[in-house]
Amino acid sequence: MFKKGEYVVCGNKGVCLVENITTLDISGVDKAREYYILKPLYMSGSTVYVPVDATNESIRRILSRDEAEAFIKEIPDIPMITGVNDKLLEQEYRSCMKSNDCAEWIKIIKTIYLRKQKRIEAGRKVTAVDAKYFRMAEDSLYGELAVALDMPKEEVESYIVGEME
């Protein structure tokens, strides 16, 4: 159970603040069922309602500062996505994003970064699918690490690069 005021990662909404834990007075909704009222940090004006008894893997605590720093040190050892043809790649990206896991987001970022380099060298543009999932993975990862490390989201990428050097 999460507490009011705690930061969590919720599916494709990214980092959210648990604003309240309450029942909802909405017609057609079980009035006895409790919900987390979540405010996404990077989607202003958005609210997410998640039943307390149905959170399973769609919602989790964000990394602590120590976990985030340890994770950054592990990034070089996280493998890329391999053995998947271009037709199945989007499905693999989707699966990685759905996992709600920082290591899976890194797999996407590493894979697409290398694909992008190869395409540019061959005089080709980055695919729309790669661009979309690269942005999604970066947003998710940098959003969580920004909160865990208590820094602006825009500084996370350079912080990671600095730590890995």
Side-chain angles (χ1 to χ4, degrees):
M1 180 116 174
F2 304 108
K3 294 183 229 118
K4 188 175 174 179
E6 188 173 5
Y7 287 107
V8 296
V9 176
C10 179
N12 64 351
K13 302 299 180 201
V15 178
C16 298
L17 177 67
V18 178
E19 193 172 73
N20 206 352
I21 304 165
T22 186
T23 57
L24 300 177
D25 189 19
I26 300 172
S27 65
V29 173
D30 181 353
K31 306 243 184 289
R33 193 173 192 191
E34 283 196 313
Y35 285 79
Y36 291 114
I37 313 288
L38 307 176
K39 286 290 183 183
L41 238 54
Y42 304 107
M43 294 177 162
S44 61
S46 188
T47 302
V48 182
Y49 302 92
V50 179
V52 169
D53 60 359
T55 57
N56 55 38
E57 294 172 16
S58 69
I59 185 172
R60 66 169 172 80
R61 279 185 174 73
I62 67 162
L63 298 175
S64 68
R65 180 178 199 90
D66 290 344
E67 290 168 333
E69 288 172 350
F71 173 75
I72 289 169
K73 288 178 180 24
E74 293 170 13
I75 288 175
D77 300 326
I78 297 171
M80 297 188 326
I81 298 167
T82 57
V84 179
N85 68 37
D86 281 5
K87 288 186 169 119
L88 296 176
L89 208 47
E90 183 174 12
Q91 191 176 330
E92 189 66 27
Y93 293 160
R94 200 175 302 120
S95 172
C96 288
M97 287 307 301
K98 217 173 183 181
S99 75
N100 213 4
D101 180 324
C102 293
E104 294 297 307
W105 299 334
I106 285 290
K107 283 182 182 180
I108 292 173
I109 292 168
K110 282 180 154 184
T111 302
I112 295 174
Y113 180 81
L114 189 65
R115 283 174 50 86
K116 189 187 325 185
Q117 297 307 105
K118 286 181 179 176
R119 290 185 71 83
I120 290 169
E121 285 172 15
R124 293 173 21 223
K125 291 182 178 177
V126 178
T127 68
V129 168
D130 279 2
K132 171 185 167 185
Y133 283 95
F134 190 79
R135 189 173 45 259
M136 286 170 59
E138 277 193 326
D139 282 348
S140 297
L141 180 68
Y142 297 168
E144 179 168 359
L145 292 177
V147 174
L149 298 169
D150 192 27
M151 68 173 53
K153 187 177 177 182
E154 301 76 39
E155 294 176 16
V156 172
E157 183 177 11
S158 59
Y159 177 81
I160 291 171
V161 171
E163 287 297 303
M164 290 179 13
E165 286 176 348

